Amino acid sequence: MSTNGMTRLAIIIPAYKTEFLNETLDSLSRQTCKQFKVYIGDDCSPNDVQSIVNRYSDRLPIVYRRFDTNLGGRDLIAQWERCLDMTDGEEFFCMFSDDDVMMPQNVELFYRVLDEKEITDVYHFDIDIVNRDLKPIRRRRDYPECLTASQFFRLLYMGKIDARMPEFVFRREAFDSNGGFVRFDLAFRSDNATVMVNSRHKPILTVKGSRVLWRDSGVNVSSKGNMVLNERRVMASIDFFNWLDGFFNDEGIDFPLPLVPRIKTYVRELLLLYPKRKKPELHQLMEKIDFFRLNPGMMRLGKIYMARKIFKKRFKI
């Protein structure tokens, strides 16, 4: 590699949970290329994060800081931002998790791509979804080597690929100039929007042969088992859907999803609140989505699709 030992990559871990943190740090300590620095921002956890970090102080270049207040519970983006502020001028950063696992060659393969390809603003590691014991739940389809923002969105919301924040590496200069993280409540959909904003001008490059194991532990903000957060998740999704219209309009791009998949995507998100929220309430939420509110014909189709889905749920068809 042409990096000559220079550390260009910051791996940032906004830490709160400790149950799997040792596995995360162990996976980083086993990287075949050690040209990175780990930054751990302890979100005022009730658990002893520091003692786990200390076990790896001689195996990893780690910067640890315990914050006096918990931010992640009420503003996850703010926690991400103050962790990002801990970094020391690295050219690239990855916002990793305190319970995920990185395969040993990821960093080496990332640097190899930097050497061989023209520099872009977003890089991607392929991903598998695993359970608490790292047993596969599902193998997600690998990304194409190169994706535009529009292609990324289309494949993601057609169910062809998956996306989580820990699998992306951002070029810091572009990230800052693009306004940082895109904010939605609970940071839900913020990863998708942030990737799209930062791949407007240059494509997403996938680091072939790499892999992140994303742990669906049941306590992730994005885990579907967190039913208590569903209403906030749905409202964040509505904000995201409305944001999409502005994004593609500003870019001069036709909306990448065909009408029927778009209607189904929006309605399925609202149905996460059923049966707690009955059909009239769900219709009111549909009015908050600009796509439906501004297009009465689409609203009618959306209500028909919703009625069919509710009928099937009620009668277990």
Side-chain angles (χ1 to χ4, degrees):
M1 291 180 292
S2 62
T3 49
N4 296 320
M6 181 172 57
T7 300
R8 302 170 67 184
L9 175 63
I11 298 177
I12 304 165
I13 302 177
Y16 185 81
K17 305 185 297 296
T18 55
E19 185 175 359
F20 306 107
L21 181 58
N22 64 309
E23 292 181 39
T24 297
L25 295 179
D26 191 58
S27 76
L28 298 180
S29 73
R30 290 186 285 107
Q31 290 300 304
T32 55
C33 171
K34 296 295 199 300
Q35 293 173 23
F36 60 91
K37 184 178 282 189
V38 181
Y39 294 89
I40 299 178
D42 181 343
D43 193 17
C44 198
S45 173
N47 306 308
D48 189 0
V49 174
Q50 187 169 14
S51 67
I52 297 173
V53 173
N54 288 344
R55 297 175 202 165
Y56 292 87
S57 60
D58 60 343
R59 298 164 61 185
L60 285 170
I62 295 181
V63 175
Y64 168 82
R65 179 177 176 184
R66 177 174 172 84
F67 296 108
D68 294 332
T69 57
N70 175 270
L71 277 182
R74 64 179 187 274
D75 189 349
L76 184 56
I77 295 290
Q79 164 65 352
W80 288 353
E81 289 172 338
R82 68 180 178 181
C83 292
L84 183 58
D85 287 342
M86 294 171 59
T87 58
D88 189 28
E90 288 86 359
E91 185 179 357
F92 301 94
F93 75 90
C94 172
M95 191 64 63
F96 212 60
S97 298
D98 55 15
D99 57 0
D100 295 336
V101 168
M102 187 180 290
M103 292 293 96
Q105 286 189 299
N106 278 22
V107 173
E108 179 182 348
L109 293 171
F110 168 69
Y111 276 113
R112 190 177 299 170
V113 170
L114 292 187
D115 283 348
E116 295 174 354
K117 307 283 187 181
E118 182 177 347
I119 295 294
T120 195
D121 296 331
V122 184
Y123 296 85
H124 171 261
F125 299 133
D126 283 319
I127 187 171
D128 285 343
I129 311 298
V130 298
N131 65 13
R132 294 171 63 89
D133 301 318
L134 295 181
K135 299 292 176 58
I137 296 176
R138 59 188 181 274
R139 172 82 180 259
R140 300 309 297 172
R141 185 178 299 180
D142 290 353
Y143 277 35
E145 187 173 1
C146 185
L147 277 178
T148 65
S150 178
Q151 291 167 336
F152 165 77
F153 174 78
R154 180 184 174 89
L155 289 175
L156 181 61
Y157 284 86
M158 292 290 284
K160 304 297 185 182
I161 58 173
D162 210 329
R164 305 288 195 277
M165 183 61 84
E167 72 200 72
F168 291 96
V169 177
F170 298 92
R171 189 170 70 89
R172 180 65 184 271
E173 183 180 2
F175 174 86
D176 289 342
S177 67
N178 285 321
F181 297 108
V182 181
R183 286 179 166 272
F184 300 112
D185 188 28
L186 298 172
F188 193 66
R189 312 286 187 185
S190 291
D191 50 355
N192 299 168
T194 300
V195 169
M196 291 168 65
V197 166
N198 283 278
S199 57
R200 286 184 300 181
H201 306 303
K202 296 181 179 181
I204 303 162
L205 288 185
T206 288
V207 179
K208 287 301 179 183
S210 65
R211 195 154 300 276
V212 167
L213 303 183
W214 189 88
R215 194 190 308 257
D216 189 354
S217 61
V219 294
N220 316 73
V221 168
S222 54
S223 293
K224 294 187 186 304
N226 277 317
M227 299 303 292
V228 71
L229 299 176
N230 265 4
E231 292 209 25
R232 288 175 66 185
R233 290 173 70 244
V234 169
M235 295 310 297
S237 291
I238 290 172
D239 289 340
F240 173 67
F241 296 151
N242 292 336
W243 175 88
L244 287 170
D245 290 331
F247 175 81
F248 290 118
N249 184 64
D250 290 345
E251 295 301 306
I253 300 172
D254 290 337
F255 201 91
L257 281 186
L259 285 177
V260 171
R262 188 176 182 184
I263 291 170
K264 290 182 176 181
T265 295
Y266 291 1
V267 171
R268 280 197 295 260
E269 192 67 22
L270 299 180
L271 284 173
L272 291 173
L273 300 182
Y274 181 84
K276 181 179 179 182
R277 298 296 181 199
K278 303 304 181 185
K279 190 160 59 174
E281 293 175 288
L282 297 179
H283 287 174
Q284 290 178 351
L285 286 178
M286 288 179 72
E287 292 279 357
K288 296 181 180 293
I289 300 175
D290 292 342
F291 171 69
F292 290 130
R293 182 175 56 83
L294 300 174
N295 299 280
M298 296 302 104
M299 175 69 84
R300 287 192 293 272
L301 291 175
K303 287 180 178 179
I304 291 170
Y305 178 69
M306 179 179 286
R308 289 175 176 171
K309 294 293 288 185
I310 289 175
F311 180 84
K312 289 180 178 181
K313 280 177 177 283
R314 287 180 63 187
F315 295 100
K316 297 182 170 60
I317 297 176

